[in-house]
Amino acid sequence: MNQFKSIVMKELIEKVKTTAGVTEEQAKGSINAVTQYLKERMPQHLQSQMDSMLKGERFSESVNPSAMHSAEENKNKTREAFDDGREKKDEAGRTIKNKTSDTIK
């Protein structure tokens, strides 16, 4: 398996071997099983980040540009939704104030 060539993976294999008291092949199998299990349950952009990190890249180097773009889009949409909500709240407040004023007159 190619993923077992990086220094990070060698360190992880050694950690699993000593902690679990298993052979190198058993450690590789365990790491592969856990990696696949986690990747099946995470978004695509995180799967590629996990692969990159296991190859020895730092997290910041493995951040997928499209994931950063999606995060920026989500931030902007959230901001727009809050701004829209604020406008509707203000409008509702003005309407209530006007109706209250009309009723009091």
Side-chain angles (χ1 to χ4, degrees):
M1 294 182 167
N2 275 344
Q3 72 181 28
F4 295 118
K5 292 184 178 180
S6 77
I7 293 172
V8 171
M9 285 304 299
K10 288 178 183 177
E11 290 174 353
L12 185 55
I13 291 167
E14 193 59 37
K15 180 74 171 174
V16 171
K17 280 174 46 179
T18 57
T19 302
V22 297
T23 67
E24 184 170 330
E25 288 306 311
Q26 290 170 323
K28 287 179 180 180
S30 298
I31 293 166
N32 191 45
V34 170
T35 300
Q36 291 306 313
Y37 177 85
L38 293 173
K39 286 171 63 175
E40 289 170 2
R41 287 158 178 76
M42 62 178 55
Q44 182 66 36
H45 69 278
L46 292 178
Q47 292 175 18
S48 62
Q49 289 177 21
M50 177 180 277
D51 288 337
S52 296
M53 289 171 39
L54 291 173
K55 290 177 191 170
E57 297 176 11
R58 291 191 344 237
F59 181 77
S60 61
E61 295 169 343
S62 68
V63 173
N64 185 332
S66 65
M68 294 302 290
H69 179 72
S70 294
E72 187 68 29
E73 283 182 358
N74 288 338
K75 180 180 85 170
N76 291 336
K77 287 179 183 179
T78 301
R79 181 174 288 137
E80 289 171 10
F82 274 100
D83 289 345
D84 187 47
R86 185 180 309 114
E87 289 174 17
K88 288 181 179 181
K89 173 198 60 105
D90 291 345
E91 183 180 323
R94 285 189 298 273
T95 300
I96 291 170
K97 181 180 177 183
N98 290 339
K99 286 184 179 183
T100 304
S101 295
D102 291 343
T103 304
I104 295 174
K105 290 181 184 179

